[in-house]
Amino acid sequence: MATSFTDIYNNTQSINIVGELLATSYNSFIPVANVKNVIIGNNVTSIGGSAFRQCTGLESITITNTVTFIGNNAFQGCRNVNFTQIVIPNSVTSIGTTVFKSCVSLTSITFQSVSTVTSIGDYTFDTCTGLGSITIPNSVTAMTPYAFVNTNLNTVYNAANTTLFYVKSTTSNITIPATVTSIVANVFLNNTSLTTITFASTNTLTYIGDSAFSGCTGLNSINIPSSVTYIGSGAFQGCVFLGSTTIGDTAITAINSNTFSGCSSLNSITIPTTVTSIGENALYSCSNIKSLTFSSVSTLTSIGANAFYYCNGLTSINFPESVREIAGNAFGSVWSLNSVTMYSTSVNNLRNTWSQLPATSTTNLQWFFGFIYDAGYPINFTVTIVAEPEPEPEPEPEPEPEPEPEPEPEPEPEPEPEPEPEPEPEPEPEPEPEPEPEPEP
């Protein structure tokens, strides 16, 4: 690495560093404030943690295409007014945490085309207040919104506009482009200003990350697109004014832990046919929920602990036949509950799970809902067990149509008789020779 700097006598000096660049390679004998222009040499494969931290005189740096890793805090605090841009070569695969934190003059961070970077750490661009925009390479698979805190950026997408990485915490309404397939974890976390989120009618969204909308206390409704196949844990946790949400048409297979926990204004929910499990605390303390609907062809098999704890608006539950497991306290402290309907198949499976259920009793099914832990409150709901629905008979197969008789082959035409040969013409008779004349006497 060749570095130019000015010494205490204002003379330009240079130093070559070969191999991995670490902070101790120079800061013990070069005042960091004097380092101005840096070129990373071809022998360098990684820039170590804090290598140029607080180099307040740094004006430019060139990173050659041999560097694969930039360590934590590598350029933190490089706030010189002339340090306005940096190019990340396509050899870099990983960028650590707080790498460019407080580089307040940076206005341009460019990733070379065909970038191979896959991970960018938290707070990497924290307090880069001069940064107006940035495009994240499509190769990035690991990055959280914390990478951009305290910046002036409004939104950050990848180059293909398929992944939403960041939304400014004061955003009140947003429309998600049709091209977006993934909203990463924590994107709207604790955004109390958010009131409206709209998805394009032709959207392709499939993934909503963990805690994506957690703590969005201003959000009162959301229609989750039918294209969604995954909703992460705690995705809407603590959205206390979320009164309406539609997930009935999605293809999700699980309502994960804490997904709607603490959504105290939520009044109804329809569990999609495709859901096979409801996780722990999934709808914990949704105290206003009055309607819990399962599809008639539900595939739900398990309900986790405390899944509907304190859902005090529920008065009745009709479990689908597919349910095989209900964890303890799944419906604990649901004071309003007065009737439960279950299929005999489900009850038999529950008895196999919990020895407290004698084969001859149904009243002890109350145990599953945690009421025995709430002394002083009356146990006042009934359990109805219905027979397992008989499967619809399979339609008899239609008889195969008789094969049509093969048509008789047409008789081959008789060959035409060969024509009789014409008679050969009789040869003409040879002419008689003329008599020789008699000699004269």
Side-chain angles (χ1 to χ4, degrees), residues 90-172:
N90 56 24
S91 58
V92 173
T93 60
S94 179
I95 298 174
T97 61
T98 61
V99 170
F100 299 102
K101 182 178 180 180
S102 298
C103 293
V104 293
S105 299
L106 270 180
T107 58
S108 173
I109 298 175
T110 304
F111 295 87
Q112 284 185 337
S113 60
V114 199
S115 174
T116 59
V117 64
T118 58
S119 65
I120 298 176
D122 289 345
Y123 308 103
T124 296
F125 307 102
D126 182 0
T127 320
C128 290
T129 51
L131 200 60
S133 66
I134 187 170
T135 300
I136 302 300
N138 294 330
S139 54
V140 172
T141 57
M143 184 174 69
T144 75
Y146 301 118
F148 305 99
V149 296
N150 302 314
T151 67
N152 291 318
L153 297 168
N154 291 319
T155 56
V156 177
Y157 296 90
N158 65 349
N161 244 35
T162 57
T163 302
L164 176 60
F165 284 112
Y166 171 79
V167 176
K168 194 174 183 67
S169 61
T170 55
T171 299
S172 60

Side-chain angles (χ1 to χ4, degrees), residues 45-57:
T45 59
S46 66
I47 300 175
S50 301
F52 297 96
R53 185 176 182 178
Q54 300 298 334
C55 287
T56 54

Side-chain angles (χ1 to χ4, degrees), residues 1 15 17 21-32 35 50-53 55 74:
M1 184 201 76
I15 186 171
I17 300 177
L21 178 64
L22 301 173
T24 52
S25 299
Y26 70 88
N27 68 358
S28 58
F29 54 90
I30 303 174
V32 293
V35 176
S50 301
F52 297 96
R53 185 176 182 178
C55 287

